[in-house]
Every structure is written in C-alpha cells, then in structure tokens.
Amino acid sequence: MTQARRPSPLQRRVLIVLAALDAKRPAPVATRDIERVLEQCGDAPVYGPNLRASCRRMEAAGWLRTLRAPNMQLAVELTDAGRALAAPLLADEQARVLAEQRATAVRVLPLVPRSQTEEADDRPVALDDRWHLACRGDYVIRLDGTTCLQLWNTAGQLTRLEGDPLQVAAWLQACHDAGIAVRVQVNESTMPEAGTLNVTAPADLTDTWYRQLDAALQAQGITGLTEDIRLVVVSPEASLRSLPAPARLLHVLRDADPLTATTYEEDTEAALTDLLARAGFTGDQELQRHRIRWPLMGQEEADRRELNSLLDELEQRQLYCNREQMTEIVFSPPTRRKLDGTSAVAPDDGRIRVPQSAAP
C-alpha cells in the first residue's frame, strides 16, 4: 500500500532529476548535487533538510536506495521500482519543456539570397488596396496553425496583418515583387532580426504608387501632380532617398504650387482622408489641409446648404415640404417672386410668407 501512493511535488522533481542523470550515467547522486540542480531549475526554493527527509520517505516507499560516500556524504540512487515510476515523469517533463521551447522558438527560412535589395530603405507595397511602407516582410506560421504577415520598417516598427495561408502568401509575394526583403519564420518575433536585406531589387513600386495616387486624386477633382514632381519622388536625390515616398512627395509640394481642387473640401473630405490613408500617408493631414487649394464657397451656396440641412432635420421629425419649391421661394429675386406669384413678400418687413400651396 505504501508503494501505491503518488509522489509529492518535491518527490516528483527529485525522481525526474535522478532519472535524467541515470539515463546519462547510472551512479549514486549526492543529495547536495540534487539540491543544486533543483535550485538551477528555479521552480521553487529547495532546502537541504526537506530534501533529505523526502529522500528518506522515498527510500521507505522502495523508490530509492540511500548510500554513504567515503566522505560520509549522503547519496541516493533509483531502485527498479523507482526507475519505473520516474521514467514517465521524465518523459512528461521533457515534453513540457520542449513544448515551451517550441512555443517561443523563431525559425527563419530565407527565400532569396542576401543580395535581394541594394539598400535597407522603406518601400511602398499595396496589400488589399492599402499601401504600406516596409523594408522587410515575414511570413509567420504559429504553432496553432494560424498565419500572419509581419511588416518591419527601418525604424523598427512592426505591423501585423492577419490572414489565412493563401492570403499571407499573396502578401509576401507582393512584398518580394516590390523589392522588399522577405522570409518565412515559425512564431511571431518582437524585434527585427538581422539579415536578408539584399542587393538586387526586382522592382521599386514608387512609380506605380505615384501614378495610382495621381489617378485617385484626379478622380476626386484634384490636379497638379506634374511629371517633374514624379521624377523627384521616383528618383530622389541623396538627401531624400532615405524618406518614404509620401514624405518625399510632401517635401516637394512644400516648395511647389499647391494642388488644385474643383470641388469643395467639405464634399471631398471623407473620401480624400480614406484615399490618403490607403496610400500610406500618416495622420497629420498635411497634404489635405495645406497642400491643396480648395475653391471658396459663396454665400448663396453656403445658405443653400444650410437650408438643405434644416429641411433634412425637419424630415427627420416627419415634417415635409416641397423642397424644390421652398428653395425657389427663398433664393429667387423678390421681383420675380411677385411677378410669378410664388410668394407674397411684404415690402415693409421683407419677411417671406409661404402660400398655402407650398405649405408642408
């Protein structure tokens, strides 16, 4: 009955240490050496008297034999029953340690030679209709089977994009085609690793980025990006080469004529904000606020918009009117209103009186 009991946590640790040492070199082990090994593991403090008392209880259970060295130092070794008990404990512990190591281990699999890119600079790449700036892309495979793409820039900042294996593979291929160093690794990393910034860039997509941005701005009624500006951004001088493409463009526009818009800023603001975010511009909105000449809104246009807002608010309260007729009444010249009878305007006070036919 004594041998059927389960070992205590401390006894389990001692049995695991003895089984591991016995597998390397079967021999008695001094209890002081066991104490030292357990302290190095760092799970919990171990005190000599407690360890020796635990060994005596295991000897009584038939798991250990206690021996005395010539210097009278206490030593122990496993019995056959102890080995049978300790073997599965050691296997479980080894599996646990291996699982912990695998959960944090990073395995890097280079896909291209180290000569892939000439310089460690951030390059634009379009991933799912959004532009990113990166100097390296990592295909990450986690132990649970999920995948993501890690994008690093030269400042050491990390962006993770979650996706299924096929999606992440497509993103990685886009990074490769843009001249960004790429690699495959197991598990996420928190610091950029050295290497794989190589020397032969397959392509620099800055020109494609610029032309797509120009086309998107023109679709919003914003013009002014010229061929001269494109050349400076695509083939920058040495002082601008370290800047990402959006920063290069802003640098050029600070000394150039502002872009010209054909629509009011209020009508374009939301779409332009999204467009610039997808093109890789930061949130300071310098281009939108300071590098575009917006048309000024006249007083009548502002009044018309205010009237429309008022009518929209009335409709939300389920109060309706003929919007077109109301706008005509408010904004047509007084002489015309008197001639066609659309309104009766008292010459003494100037107030608009809506006829019954126009009442809501």
Side-chain angles (χ1 to χ4, degrees):
M1 292 298 293
T2 304
Q3 295 184 11
R5 69 180 183 85
R6 299 176 60 184
S8 67
L10 177 57
Q11 291 173 348
R12 287 172 59 91
R13 294 166 63 194
V14 172
L15 290 170
I16 290 171
V17 169
L18 290 174
L21 296 175
D22 189 67
K24 294 180 179 179
R25 185 176 62 86
V29 182
T31 55
R32 186 168 297 178
D33 293 337
I34 298 175
E35 183 179 349
R36 188 179 302 112
V37 171
L38 293 177
E39 288 177 353
Q40 291 174 353
C41 295
D43 294 334
V46 178
Y47 302 102
N50 292 344
L51 175 61
R52 289 186 288 273
S54 184
C55 288
R56 286 194 295 269
R57 286 191 289 272
M58 286 190 285
E59 182 180 26
W63 301 334
L64 299 182
R65 271 191 296 270
T66 301
L67 307 170
R68 287 284 180 178
N71 59 1
M72 300 304 292
Q73 187 178 27
L74 182 64
V76 294
E77 64 179 1
L78 290 171
T79 63
D80 292 339
R83 288 189 183 89
L85 179 63
L89 298 179
L90 175 62
D92 291 344
E93 179 65 12
Q94 289 173 333
R96 183 189 68 81
V97 172
L98 180 60
E100 289 184 354
Q101 293 174 344
R102 294 181 69 248
T104 57
V106 176
R107 293 284 185 260
V108 177
L109 306 176
L111 298 183
V112 291
R114 300 177 69 86
S115 59
Q116 183 186 17
T117 55
E118 182 177 356
E119 298 181 30
D121 57 350
D122 289 335
R123 297 196 174 194
V125 59
L127 304 176
D128 282 357
D129 201 29
R130 179 178 289 272
W131 286 89
H132 299 267
L133 300 169
C135 65
R136 200 187 77 212
D138 302 336
Y139 186 115
V140 178
I141 306 170
R142 303 187 185 94
L143 286 184
D144 61 4
T146 60
T147 55
C148 72
L149 181 73
Q150 289 186 163
L151 291 175
W152 295 93
N153 62 18
T154 52
Q157 296 171 326
L158 170 63
T159 300
R160 286 195 181 98
L161 303 179
E162 300 291 336
D164 60 45
L166 289 178
Q167 181 64 73
V168 178
W171 291 338
L172 195 74
Q173 184 65 50
C175 291
H176 176 274
D177 294 343
I180 298 172
V182 293
R183 68 183 195 179
V184 176
Q185 68 184 54
V186 176
N187 288 325
E188 301 170 354
S189 53
T190 56
M191 295 293 292
E193 310 292 339
T196 66
L197 291 175
N198 310 309
V199 272
T200 320
D204 183 351
L205 293 182
T206 303
D207 184 69
T208 303
W209 171 86
Y210 181 92
R211 294 183 185 278
Q212 288 187 7
L213 175 64
D214 187 18
L217 289 175
Q218 290 188 37
Q220 297 295 329
I222 300 171
T223 59
L225 290 180
T226 65
E227 180 66 14
D228 291 338
I229 295 176
R230 185 191 70 82
L231 292 175
V232 175
V233 174
V234 174
S235 303
E237 59 186 25
S239 61
L240 299 180
R241 198 168 299 156
S242 62
L243 296 177
R248 294 180 201 167
L249 178 58
L250 289 175
H251 180 86
V252 175
L253 291 178
R254 292 180 189 123
D255 298 325
D257 293 333
L259 306 181
T260 302
T262 59
T263 58
Y264 296 119
E265 183 177 4
E266 292 83 350
D267 298 334
T268 315
E269 183 175 9
L272 182 58
T273 298
D274 179 67
L275 185 159
L276 295 178
R278 288 186 290 109
F281 287 86
T282 56
D284 57 9
Q285 297 183 322
E286 178 182 348
L287 177 60
Q288 184 171 352
R289 299 293 185 224
H290 306 294
R291 307 304 163 199
I292 300 175
R293 182 186 292 117
W294 298 97
L296 297 177
M297 185 179 296
Q299 185 60 48
E300 181 175 334
E301 177 65 21
D303 292 342
R304 287 178 179 273
R305 290 175 179 241
E306 185 177 357
L307 175 61
N308 282 327
S309 297
L310 175 62
L311 296 178
D312 290 340
E313 183 177 345
L314 290 175
E315 288 183 0
Q316 291 177 1
R317 300 172 181 268
Q318 297 185 344
L319 297 174
Y320 303 92
C321 70
N322 187 318
R323 186 181 292 256
E324 182 177 350
Q325 187 175 3
M326 177 65 74
T327 303
E328 178 70 17
I329 291 171
V330 173
F331 291 101
S332 62
T335 55
R336 177 184 171 187
R337 291 199 298 267
K338 294 186 67 176
L339 290 175
D340 62 16
T342 56
S343 174
V345 181
D348 55 340
D349 59 8
R351 291 179 295 175
I352 298 176
R353 294 176 173 83
V354 181
Q356 291 296 324
S357 58

